Amino acid sequence: CAKKDALNPVPSTSISDLTAFNTKDRIEGQVRGIYATIKNSGMYGGRYQIFNDIRGEEFNNERTNVVTGFDIWNYTPSNSSTNSVLNHWARAYYVINLANVFIDGMAAKGSAVVGTTLSNNYLGEARLLRAISYYSLLQLYARPYWDGNGSKPGVPLRLKGNTNSGNYALARASVAEVYTQILSDLTFAEQNLPLDYNNAALNTTRAHRNTAIAWKTRVYLSMQKYAEVITEANKIVSATPPFTATSGVANALQSDYTSLFKPPYTSTESMLSMPFSTTEQPGTQNQLGYYYGPSAFNGGNGEYSLLSTGIISNTGWKSTDARRSFVQVFGSKSYLTKYSVPSTFTDWAPVIRYAEVLLNLAEARTRSTNTVDAQAIALLNAVRGRSDASTVFTAAGFADASALADAIMTERRIEFLGEGLRGADITRLGLPLPAKPGVNSIPTTSQQYIWPISADELLLNPLCKDN
Amino acid sequence: KVTDDKGSPLTGVTVSAGSERRTVTDNSGNFTIQVSATAKSLHFTYVGYNATDVIITGKSSVSLSLTPEDKTLSEVVVVGYGVQKKREVTGAISRIGGGAVADKPAQSFDQNLGGRAAGVQITIPSGVLNAPPVIRVRGTNSISLSSYPLIVVDGVPSFTGDFSSTAAAGNILASINPNDIESIDIAKDAAATAIYGSRAANGVVFVTTKKGKAGRSRVTVDSWVGWSKVQRLPDLLNASQYTDYKNEALKNAGTYNANTNAFALTNGPDGKPINTNWYNYVYRNGFQHSNTVSISGANESTSYYFSAGYTEQQGIIQRNDFKRLGILMNIDHKIGKAVNLGGKIQYTNEKNLAAVSSGSLGDAFATAGLGRVALITAPNVSPYNNDGTYNYSGALIGVMNNKVGQVGFNNPVIQLDQNRNNAEVEHIIGNTYAQVKPISSVTVRTVFGIDYVLVDNDIYYSPISGEGFSSNGSVTAALNKNKRWVWTNTIQYDKTFADKHTVGLLAGMEHQKSNNTGYGLNRTIVSDPAFTNVQGGWATPNPSNLAIGENYLYSEFGRLQYDFDKKYYISGNLRRDGASQLGVNSKYGTFWGVSAGWEITKEKFWTSARLDRIFSSFKLRGSYGKVGNIGGLNNYASLSTYGSGLYGGNGTAVYNQAGNSNLTWETSKKTDIGLSFGLLNDKITGDVTYYNNNIDGLLLNVPQPPSAGVPTAIPQNIGTMYNRGIEIAVNATILQKKDFSWTSSFNVATNTNKVTALAPGVNSIIGITGGLESPSITLPGYPIGMLFVTQTKGVDPATGRRIFVNSQGKDVYFQHVAPAGQSRFMYADGTVAPGVSSADAIVYKTTQPKVFGGWENTFRYKGFELTAMFTYQFGNYVYYGTGAGLRDQRFWNNEVGVLNRWQKAGDLTAYPKPIFGDNISNGSSFPLDINVFKGDFVKLRSVSVGYNLPKTILEKVKINNARFYVAGSNLLIITNYPGPDPEVSSNGNGTTNFGIDRNTVANQRTITVGLNVGF
């Protein structure tokens, strides 16, 4: 009757959980929803990259604003730092739970709706997104793998979908246990993701098999498991130049470095990026272009300039290097201008690029063989030569393996400036966090070397202990 | 001839002889009536006076004077779906006359209820015009839902809250012209409120608008003008103090460099160093005026009241204005003896205007927030360059000669000149009723009411600098439409049997349906700065303020009242409500209240003990009942849903809400025991009441550990809490002489609030301020919203370091930049200590006042009248977060106290050694005990001196009454609180984050001059 209907109104702008797995569209919508969630509120859509950038030595904080990472930059976040410690933790686990709810729902109903092949593709995507969320948590909230071989506390490991209230007290799994799960997810993804979407946009915004392999090289590198890095990288890097992936999406370096950061942002080098547009905006104070671009450049807030003592002081990085074109001086300060779109700052946020796989492989070969490895030099030259043909590294130029490794690290700092790799590179190698103007260096043994655990988590999950 | 008790003629008195003949008195109080020979008496009735019978046997003329009805105990009060004589009420109801809220420099009547009723605490949250006040009836009665009472205007439940979606506040109750209000009745206990069942837990406020009164038509004009200003702002460093102090901090940090990292003065156009007092640009003296004209009257069959009002009020913040144009028509018509028809219609157009955020409406940390910008912007820069152009650099204010990246947030002058944050409200309230009395003891009534609110939000940010800079301008137009209809049908039976048994029986049913829709457009990237509205040339169209929702409440209710010989009273109320917001398994709830009263003065033993010589009335009353609350519950809160968005241009489905299909009402079990008395022929009247409200099934949005990844906290009926206290209200006529009188009203209430249980696994709930700071905690065993701060132990005289006390109780010395070989956090012995943070916070002090109330005195001497109203509050603490900002060691300007900073070993001071960049030592990074202060205050809330023109003059100029007055509001605050005003709430009506003062614009002080004229 009318009264009963009025007492049970049906919302017209959302879908009931009871019917979320009823159609193919809704199921694929959920897959996209997990990506959208890892993208937004500044996880892999910008803030995760920024946090890792500003923990390094390249950037100077110009705004002393805690909302935009002043405390991350000067290594003073507290358990309740809302925009970093609390939000990243909550957001990453939201993604993880969305993936878990999806995996459970597919088993219960969804797989039958979409069929086995699509179901496996989607589950591969969900598990990859779960893996890279856990990976981001480990980089910020847990001791690096080298410290006790992964025996230190990691983060709570949750693999079941949570939809109701319940007893969610759970202790932190060890770092090694979390990495094991990450690798298990990525391996599943590798085996079940599509080889190629045959669509440039999808090949950059949705994970395919090579994306999972690329992630495995990053993960193994973080664990200093160099042999595994080599095994994984070799699946998608040809033995000889030009280094390309020979199966799946034809991943390869693009000839023009600057094209990677311009529309349409889709290329075979960008193996996963977070798409933005005027109808899909990054959200306030999450945008890469807003943080790094000064107002005179793109109307950004110039939150961070480039420190004159950082990588821009490197004399081997020639002014003719295409990558130098992204370092511009405004006033008396240098800024990173890689992200140039003015408001609404819709540059896509890079998550993983093929160039990283090459340098991951080069580094792994160098560190595992402890020699001035010829292929490592070739890989390094591939990356350098693309932007600076005039510089060619030779074996003779390196006194020892360590010098080569240093050159690879320098190359990473240049190649991925403002792409969120530096913080995790520092910690995985056990380097102290660098001193900056008004900020002391943080030794690896310090409590401040990693973030504290979310105050909300400590409050509501009595089994979870702080760092 | 009929006169009043003072001998003045009464016009419009109904004179009747039997049932067939009646007339009314004329302007001189005279009347003529023809009566049959058998008639023995005449019956005289007049509103506000006691009905009187006069024997006429053998007389041809009659003179009499009517005595006014007793103004206190015998007056009526409004109860749900009816009225009752106050003397017969067994529930706890406080009545406030319309005069208490009229002619006050406020936007809405509710701002002026403070101190007027025992147990009703009103907090004006900020100096922003038309911010809804915080109203607490007998304490905070909910944690997650609303603690705001139900507001019933002329029988129709009204929308409440802030309906603006811009930086201008828009309390929807401001649509009601306070001058149109006849009375406000505040029902507090279960007996008085249970008839509103599921919405009664926070009390019910009945607002009754004016109706026409018998007699010839009256015209009134009420006008005032006023001037308001800000008060008690903190003293800040001037330009040279600032420059020197910040440079010292840079040197202490080891980063001073005269050429690249230093503060420096800049000469202004006059060749002297710029020294800007930002208060002068942000604040102003506001001019206000208000005018109401009404026409009213009534004859035998029809009464009418028509008013039109216009007010324009300037706030103390530049560009913060309130304009209201409203009309009200109340009409009641009688057809024969059995049928009454009538209704009302009110239309209001209200403009709530602001330039930009004040930072006082829950947005404490807004970078544009004017309250904050005025405090922290460097005094050594000017809003203008020397050539007269705006001083800015990108989004921020320009640094001028300072050699640092930033010396402020936005340039407030650009914001105030260019930007717009307006909410225009169009509000229609109407109802129409029909009432039939088929027999004299039965009344059948149907009422249909509507409440329509249309809000047109208009936001513009200039592309020049500030908030619109990064988006190259931004404009938003958004329309929000809220519609409600309420249909109520009641049948009432009243009968007195055998002269002693009086029975009243009410049965009714009610439907209430509310709908809201909202849609808007936000556009950025302006193609030409000349375009400032959404229709102009812009690049991006983004949807904005999309909303759609509905809710429905279906109710059946009844009431039984019985008294024996006006001596023993009992009553019972019952209501069954079904609400659409609740879980599919638990839509309905049943609520009830019972009460009893005993008028002891009617007992023989009382008179034989001669107590009647002292006590004119002495009534014991008690009540108990169960009422509910779902105020503020989201329309679809019980459902689990997936929302939709975009990823890479394609649609998404994201699990975004975890519901609970068993979601149901919060219930309050209220006990009330009271005593009402009248002394010395009601020269002194009073009430003493003990109340106890046990709240069960408190709806908690039970936060799961973030790592569980559940998208939203799941609403569950799981917590418990109580509010207990004693209320005393006394009204006394202290002196009553021919030319001089003194009346006094005093009330005091105590309240003890305690949370007794939260959800299993939820040890506490953290209250957030402005989305950034967590200075509040709610946990079992304590009052709601305790302050949660980290402890400090002063400043180390040897080194100037802040001393923190960590969670182990150990002293930790902090220096923001540690010299080589030391660390930032150290123990006294020099060893490295773990960082101190909010994780070391302790549950510190309560924000709930223990005692509060008001005291009003009115003195009359001949035509003069002096009224002074004090309000007071004791026992609560306030977190003065603003104080943390005022001592922040970034570029922010500081309060002058920092000049006493530590400089050398042996200095004893509360201000640590300044080290540039230090946002930890003084509480910016996490809340500290040094910023917690007692919130006790006594305020001279309002004072007025009025003069009534004497009758002799009035008669010459042919007007009924004329009164001139001068009034002040908020003139005096007695408090030790260091901030502008301890009566403050940065988080508005928030329950778990109350008692916070973070960058809030202080309350204004206003002087008004006005007149009331009646024709």
Side-chain angles (χ1 to χ4, degrees):
Chain A
C1 73
K3 192 168 84 190
K4 192 165 182 208
D5 289 346
L7 280 174
N8 292 282
V10 178
S12 54
T13 55
S14 54
I15 292 160
S16 164
D17 61 331
L18 305 174
T19 62
F21 289 91
N22 281 12
T23 69
K24 284 188 177 184
D25 283 348
R26 281 182 194 171
I27 289 167
E28 192 177 9
Q30 287 195 55
V31 177
R32 294 192 203 105
I34 308 171
Y35 283 102
T37 307
I38 208 171
K39 178 182 84 164
N40 267 339
S41 294
M43 198 172 151
Y44 279 105
R47 273 195 182 250
Y48 176 73
Q49 287 90 330
I50 291 162
F51 291 146
N52 275 286
D53 287 335
I54 64 180
R55 272 163 68 82
E57 59 274 75
E58 326 292 17
F59 291 95
N60 188 47
N61 182 288
E62 295 291 332
R63 297 284 172 244
T64 63
N65 184 352
V66 173
V67 174
T68 53
F70 181 53
D71 55 348
I72 302 308
W73 179 78
N74 71 9
Y75 316 131
T76 61
S78 73
N79 301 76
S80 55
S81 287
T82 309
N83 286 283
S84 48
V85 174
L86 293 185
N87 283 0
H88 187 84
W89 181 273
R91 172 62 47 167
Y93 273 108
Y94 183 27
V95 173
I96 289 163
N97 193 46
L98 286 179
N100 290 339
V101 167
F102 180 77
I103 292 164
D104 293 352
M106 290 302 281
K109 189 188 220 178
S111 292
V113 174
V114 295
T116 311
T117 308
L118 266 184
S119 174
N120 285 339
N121 292 162
Y122 294 159
L123 289 170
E125 290 183 274
R127 289 187 67 170
L128 179 133
L129 294 168
R130 178 168 78 182
I132 70 176
S133 296
Y134 274 123
Y135 177 82
S136 76
L137 289 168
L138 287 182
Q139 304 316 304
L140 296 170
Y141 298 91
R143 297 288 303 171
Y145 188 84
W146 56 258
D147 188 3
N149 244 353
S151 62
K152 299 288 176 176
V155 294
L157 190 56
R158 298 191 188 266
L159 304 171
K160 296 298 290 175
N162 298 325
T163 55
N164 291 308
S165 56
N167 181 3
Y168 292 119
L170 181 65
R172 295 164 67 178
S174 72
V175 167
E177 286 167 335
V178 181
Y179 269 123
T180 302
Q181 183 61 43
I182 290 169
L183 288 165
S184 155
D185 281 343
L186 290 173
T187 301
F188 178 91
E190 178 190 349
Q191 290 159 358
N192 290 283
L193 286 171
L195 281 177
D196 191 334
Y197 291 100
N198 297 311
N199 172 313
L202 293 183
N203 282 343
T204 296
T205 60
R206 299 275 293 267
H208 46 84
R209 189 203 59 179
N210 292 357
T211 318
I213 295 167
W215 265 99
K216 286 168 83 177
T217 69
R218 186 188 278 188
V219 171
Y220 278 124
L221 199 65
S222 299
M223 302 169 77
Q224 301 190 356
K225 295 201 170 182
Y226 301 119
E228 287 83 349
V229 176
I230 295 167
T231 307
E232 293 298 331
N234 282 341
K235 293 176 185 172
I236 52 171
V237 180
S238 55
T240 52
F243 299 104
T244 58
T246 51
S247 67
V249 175
N251 297 117
L253 294 181
Q254 305 302 295
S255 58
D256 177 8
Y257 178 81
T258 63
S259 74
L260 297 170
F261 306 97
K262 286 178 189 157
Y265 306 101
T266 53
S267 73
T268 52
E269 180 167 345
S270 296
M271 301 178 81
L272 184 62
S273 296
M274 294 289 136
F276 291 106
S277 71
T278 51
T279 52
E280 266 178 88
Q281 298 177 11
T284 312
Q285 294 182 320
N286 298 327
Q287 321 97 320
L288 288 158
Y290 177 84
Y291 277 72
Y292 296 138
S295 60
F297 171 64
N298 65 342
N301 205 36
E303 299 277 345
Y304 292 89
S305 65
L306 287 165
L307 272 173
S308 58
T309 52
I311 190 64
I312 60 170
S313 66
N314 183 291
T315 49
W317 185 12
K318 292 179 181 165
S319 61
T320 50
D321 189 315
R323 298 171 297 192
R324 275 275 186 196
S325 69
F326 287 139
V327 177
Q328 295 181 39
V329 176
F330 293 89
S332 59
K333 289 176 173 150
S334 297
Y335 287 89
L336 177 70
T337 57
K338 206 175 239 184
Y339 306 105
S340 60
V341 176
S343 174
T344 48
F345 307 107
T346 50
D347 284 298
W348 290 22
V351 175
I352 197 161
R353 288 200 280 120
Y354 190 65
E356 184 188 339
V357 180
L358 302 188
L359 292 180
N360 289 350
L361 176 56
E363 185 181 343
R365 289 189 69 98
T366 307
R367 294 195 196 278
S368 62
T369 62
N370 201 25
T371 61
V372 179
D373 181 90
Q375 205 210 353
I377 296 171
L379 290 160
L380 176 61
N381 276 328
V383 174
R384 171 64 64 121
R386 177 253 297 262
S387 300
D388 172 13
S390 68
T391 301
V392 178
F393 297 102
T394 61
F398 299 108
D400 53 16
S402 163
L404 175 55
D406 287 349
I408 293 167
M409 293 317 294
T410 301
E411 199 63 25
R412 289 174 75 91
R413 289 173 62 187
I414 296 170
E415 178 73 15
F416 302 113
L417 184 60
E419 294 182 52
L421 292 191
R422 185 59 187 161
D425 277 353
I426 289 169
T427 50
R428 75 174 161 87
L429 293 171
L431 305 172
L433 294 175
K436 289 174 273 201
V439 181
N440 299 39
S441 172
I442 303 291
T444 59
T445 50
S446 167
Q447 188 194 24
Q448 290 161 274
Y449 196 63
I450 54 175
W451 286 8
I453 297 294
S454 154
D456 291 347
E457 185 70 24
L458 297 176
L459 204 63
L460 296 165
N461 178 359
L463 295 180
C464 183
K465 299 292 174 227
D466 197 5
N467 284 320
Chain B
K1 183 177 170 97
V2 182
T3 61
D4 65 13
D5 54 330
K6 293 177 186 111
S8 305
L10 282 177
T11 305
V13 177
T14 304
V15 185
S16 55
S19 57
E20 72 279 14
R21 297 194 185 265
R22 51 176 60 198
T23 184
V24 292
T25 57
D26 65 16
N27 284 348
S28 317
N30 296 324
F31 69 97
T32 320
I33 192 167
Q34 293 196 333
V35 297
S36 63
T38 55
K40 287 182 179 144
S41 67
L42 288 178
H43 186 65
F44 295 83
T45 55
Y46 190 60
V47 175
Y49 289 79
N50 291 320
T52 307
D53 290 299
V54 176
I55 307 293
I56 53 167
T57 321
K59 291 180 185 167
S60 62
S61 77
V62 189
S63 284
L64 78 160
S65 59
L66 294 181
T67 51
E69 278 183 335
D70 201 316
K71 281 271 160 62
T72 50
L73 277 181
S74 67
E75 72 190 2
V76 297
V77 294
V78 177
V79 297
Y81 310 99
V83 295
Q84 236 183 319
K85 282 207 167 135
K86 176 143 199 202
R87 206 183 262 280
E88 297 175 6
V89 164
T90 49
I93 300 182
S94 297
R95 158 158 284 221
I96 297 165
V101 297
D103 299 329
K104 294 286 192 299
Q107 297 78 52
S108 61
F109 70 89
D110 46 346
Q111 294 172 346
N112 277 320
L113 298 179
R116 305 230 169 239
V120 179
Q121 187 207 356
I122 308 282
T123 301
I124 308 296
S126 68
V128 178
L129 288 182
N130 208 19
V134 183
I135 305 184
R136 297 284 181 264
V137 178
R138 293 183 168 175
T140 301
N141 289 298
S142 187
I143 291 179
S144 315
L145 295 180
S146 174
S147 279
Y148 204 83
L150 177 70
I151 309 279
V152 178
V153 182
D154 293 326
V156 179
S158 164
F159 285 119
T160 55
D162 189 344
F163 273 59
S164 162
S165 303
T166 75
N171 179 7
I172 200 62
L173 293 178
S175 301
I176 300 170
N177 183 347
N179 280 65
D180 286 337
I181 293 176
E182 177 71 28
S183 66
I184 296 159
D185 298 271
I186 304 178
K188 297 182 281 195
D189 72 337
T193 62
I195 197 74
Y196 278 101
S198 65
R199 295 169 289 174
N202 299 313
V204 181
V205 176
F206 298 101
V207 177
T208 308
T209 57
K210 289 178 177 167
K211 302 224 171 205
K213 285 177 183 157
R216 72 178 178 88
S217 62
R218 298 164 195 221
V219 176
T220 64
V221 176
D222 301 289
S223 288
W224 56 260
V225 293
W227 296 267
S228 64
K229 62 189 289 188
V230 68
Q231 55 180 332
R232 292 168 48 104
L233 290 170
D235 290 330
L236 304 177
L237 299 180
N238 66 26
S240 62
Q241 289 167 331
Y242 171 86
T243 308
D244 295 346
Y245 179 80
K246 291 294 170 188
N247 282 332
E248 179 182 325
L250 281 173
K251 285 169 190 158
N252 288 341
T255 55
Y256 177 82
N257 179 318
N259 297 318
T260 60
N261 202 26
F263 289 83
L265 295 168
T266 304
N267 285 339
D270 57 0
K272 292 180 191 149
I274 288 166
N275 181 18
T276 305
N277 181 347
W278 289 100
Y279 293 153
N280 295 340
Y281 291 95
V282 168
Y283 296 106
R284 67 177 171 188
N285 291 335
F287 175 70
Q288 319 188 331
H289 66 91
S290 172
N291 310 282
T292 304
V293 178
S294 78
I295 306 168
S296 64
N299 60 25
E300 282 294 289
S301 58
T302 306
S303 80
Y304 60 94
Y305 174 88
F306 176 80
S307 88
Y310 183 68
T311 185
E312 227 179 86
Q313 303 184 23
Q314 291 183 330
I316 49 175
I317 305 174
Q318 299 277 1
R319 296 264 322 273
N320 181 204
D321 296 334
F322 173 80
K323 299 175 182 180
R324 177 183 59 222
L325 175 66
I327 53 170
L328 169 67
M329 172 81 99
N330 272 331
I331 189 155
D332 300 274
H333 183 67
K334 207 182 271 186
I335 302 170
K337 281 186 169 176
V339 179
N340 286 58
L341 297 171
K344 79 172 227 182
I345 184 130
Q346 178 195 309
Y347 167 78
T348 309
N349 176 283
E350 181 187 310
K351 293 189 173 81
N352 298 287
L353 310 178
V356 69
S357 166
S358 60
S360 307
L361 304 173
D363 51 347
F365 294 98
T367 47
L370 290 171
R372 182 191 196 196
V373 163
L375 298 176
I376 69 170
T377 309
N380 69 3
V381 296
S382 164
Y384 302 104
N385 296 313
N386 287 352
D387 61 7
T389 55
Y390 289 131
N391 170 29
Y392 64 92
S393 166
L396 308 175
I397 190 163
V399 299
M400 299 192 120
N401 281 354
N402 292 300
K403 303 281 188 297
V404 291
Q406 189 175 358
V407 296
F409 296 136
N410 303 340
N411 180 339
V413 172
I414 300 177
Q415 313 269 292
L416 286 165
D417 285 353
Q418 306 278 336
N419 296 344
R420 231 170 39 229
N421 265 268
N422 298 339
E424 180 175 2
V425 176
E426 301 204 62
H427 195 171
I428 298 167
I429 304 175
N431 70 55
T432 178
Y433 72 87
Q435 180 177 303
V436 179
K437 282 170 90 76
I439 53 173
S440 67
S441 56
V442 173
T443 310
V444 182
R445 188 178 167 92
T446 181
V447 185
F448 185 82
I450 58 159
D451 196 351
Y452 281 17
V453 179
L454 295 166
V455 187
D456 193 349
N457 297 288
D458 170 27
I459 302 172
Y460 168 72
Y461 295 115
S462 135
I464 299 175
S465 179
E467 296 198 287
F469 176 79
S470 71
S471 59
N472 194 15
S474 167
V475 67
T476 305
L479 193 70
N480 204 300
K481 187 163 75 171
N482 298 274
K483 298 184 0 179
R484 169 180 292 176
W485 59 259
V486 183
W487 186 28
T488 311
N489 296 297
T490 54
I491 177 163
Q492 169 94 34
Y493 173 77
D494 293 292
K495 187 87 177 170
T496 302
F497 300 96
D499 274 354
K500 289 194 170 170
H501 305 272
T502 308
V503 174
L505 192 60
L506 171 81
M509 52 103 79
E510 188 170 82
H511 304 263
Q512 176 178 312
K513 182 82 190 288
S514 306
N515 287 72
N516 74 294
T517 54
Y519 45 86
L521 186 61
N522 165 256
R523 305 192 72 184
T524 58
I525 311 175
V526 71
S527 61
D528 185 304
F531 297 124
T532 65
N533 58 28
V534 78
Q535 291 84 357
W538 301 80
T540 53
N542 302 312
S544 168
N545 295 57
L546 295 182
I548 185 162
E550 62 180 294
N551 62 65
Y552 175 68
L553 186 74
Y554 173 73
S555 317
E556 294 156 355
F557 54 89
R559 172 167 59 215
L560 170 66
Q561 287 168 296
Y562 168 79
D563 73 71
F564 174 74
D565 201 17
K566 305 291 172 207
K567 196 193 292 179
Y568 308 110
Y569 297 88
I570 56 166
S571 77
N573 289 287
L574 184 69
R575 184 165 181 133
R576 180 168 177 266
D577 280 331
S580 65
Q581 298 97 315
L582 298 176
V584 66
N585 304 329
S586 49
K587 295 276 182 197
Y588 282 94
T590 303
F591 308 94
W592 53 271
V594 292
S595 62
W598 178 25
E599 180 53 87
I600 305 176
T601 50
K602 299 262 179 175
E603 297 288 355
K604 288 221 172 69
F605 68 79
W606 189 269
T607 37
S608 56
R610 304 206 161 189
L611 282 168
D612 57 332
R613 295 189 178 184
I614 306 165
F615 289 97
S616 39
S617 141
F618 195 93
K619 187 167 76 173
L620 289 175
R621 55 186 167 76
S623 73
Y624 181 76
K626 183 183 111 174
V627 295
N629 186 20
I630 53 165
L633 188 63
N634 185 292
N635 286 337
Y636 306 110
S638 69
L639 307 177
S640 293
T641 58
Y642 282 68
S644 188
L646 290 173
Y647 180 73
N650 297 301
T652 65
V654 180
Y655 177 45
N656 68 348
Q657 178 171 303
N660 171 5
S661 52
N662 294 317
L663 184 66
T664 194
W665 317 90
E666 290 186 352
T667 54
S668 284
K669 291 185 182 128
K670 295 181 187 252
T671 309
D672 206 82
I673 299 165
L675 166 66
S676 305
F677 59 88
L679 277 170
L680 306 171
N681 201 18
D682 284 354
K683 268 196 175 160
I684 300 172
T685 62
D687 284 281
V688 180
T689 308
Y690 164 81
Y691 66 90
N692 182 7
N693 182 16
N694 285 321
I695 307 151
D696 286 335
L698 271 177
L699 193 150
L700 298 177
N701 290 312
V702 178
Q704 310 299 323
S707 69
V710 178
T712 47
I714 298 171
Q716 288 180 272
N717 298 89
I718 205 155
T720 58
M721 178 165 76
Y722 67 74
N723 280 295
R724 288 171 193 166
I726 291 172
E727 294 168 0
I728 300 170
V730 181
N731 299 298
T733 305
I734 296 171
L735 271 175
Q736 179 80 62
K737 296 274 156 66
K738 181 165 176 286
D739 285 338
F740 182 72
S741 71
W742 173 17
T743 58
S744 187
S745 302
F746 175 80
N747 70 71
V748 58
T750 68
N751 180 256
T752 306
N753 170 283
K754 192 185 270 190
V755 176
T756 43
L758 296 174
V762 180
N763 299 320
S764 60
I765 297 170
I766 298 293
I768 312 277
T769 293
L772 278 183
E773 194 174 59
S774 312
S776 314
I777 189 166
T778 295
L779 68 175
Y782 293 92
I784 187 171
M786 294 289 290
L787 295 177
F788 187 54
V789 294
T790 300
Q791 283 184 291
T792 60
K793 236 185 200 179
V795 171
D796 177 25
T799 59
R801 288 177 296 175
R802 166 70 68 205
I803 307 170
F804 291 107
V805 182
N806 72 11
S807 55
Q808 268 80 49
K810 289 187 180 160
D811 292 359
V812 175
Y813 294 67
F814 171 78
Q815 53 194 333
H816 186 67
V817 177
Q822 294 188 22
S823 81
R824 302 174 77 226
F825 292 95
M826 292 160 69
Y827 291 120
D829 62 7
T831 56
V832 176
V836 175
S837 73
S838 55
D840 298 279
I842 58 158
V843 179
Y844 192 53
K845 299 283 186 189
T846 180
T847 56
Q848 304 292 315
K850 296 191 168 83
V851 178
F852 56 92
W855 185 30
E856 185 176 49
N857 283 290
T858 303
F859 303 91
R860 288 197 179 83
Y861 175 71
K862 291 190 172 166
F864 290 94
E865 164 191 291
L866 168 68
T867 302
M869 168 83 185
F870 293 90
T871 60
Y872 61 89
Q873 179 170 308
F874 299 102
N876 65 312
Y877 287 78
V878 178
Y879 172 65
Y880 183 44
T882 312
L886 285 169
R887 280 170 286 145
D888 192 281
Q889 297 302 321
R890 288 173 277 180
F891 63 80
W892 306 10
N893 197 10
N894 298 125
E895 47 129 336
V896 292
V898 299
L899 297 174
N900 301 319
R901 77 256 179 226
W902 186 95
Q903 285 176 292
K904 59 184 186 308
D907 282 355
L908 291 172
T909 170
Y911 296 89
K913 176 182 178 182
I915 296 178
F916 195 77
D918 179 5
N919 61 341
I920 291 178
S921 291
N922 297 300
S924 281
S925 181
F926 49 91
L928 302 179
D929 60 356
I930 51 171
N931 293 314
V932 173
F933 297 91
K934 280 188 173 178
D936 300 350
F937 69 78
V938 176
K939 270 190 181 188
L940 180 53
R941 170 84 40 185
S942 64
V943 60
S944 76
V945 180
Y947 176 65
N948 292 291
L949 281 187
K951 285 233 159 62
T952 49
I953 298 176
L954 289 173
E955 278 165 12
K956 273 182 202 153
V957 294
K958 300 224 153 49
I959 55 179
N960 266 355
N961 65 289
R963 174 172 175 266
F964 298 91
Y965 61 89
V966 179
S969 100
N970 233 3
L971 290 190
L972 176 70
I973 308 174
I974 303 167
T975 182
N976 286 326
Y977 184 70
D981 195 333
E983 183 185 349
V984 62
S985 175
S986 278
N987 301 305
N989 264 289
T991 53
T992 56
N993 53 7
F994 188 66
I996 306 298
D997 183 3
R998 200 28 143 157
N999 303 324
T1000 313
V1001 171
N1003 287 332
Q1004 58 199 20
R1005 163 186 294 178
T1006 312
I1007 303 284
T1008 53
V1009 177
L1011 80 150
N1012 313 107
V1013 185
F1015 301 93

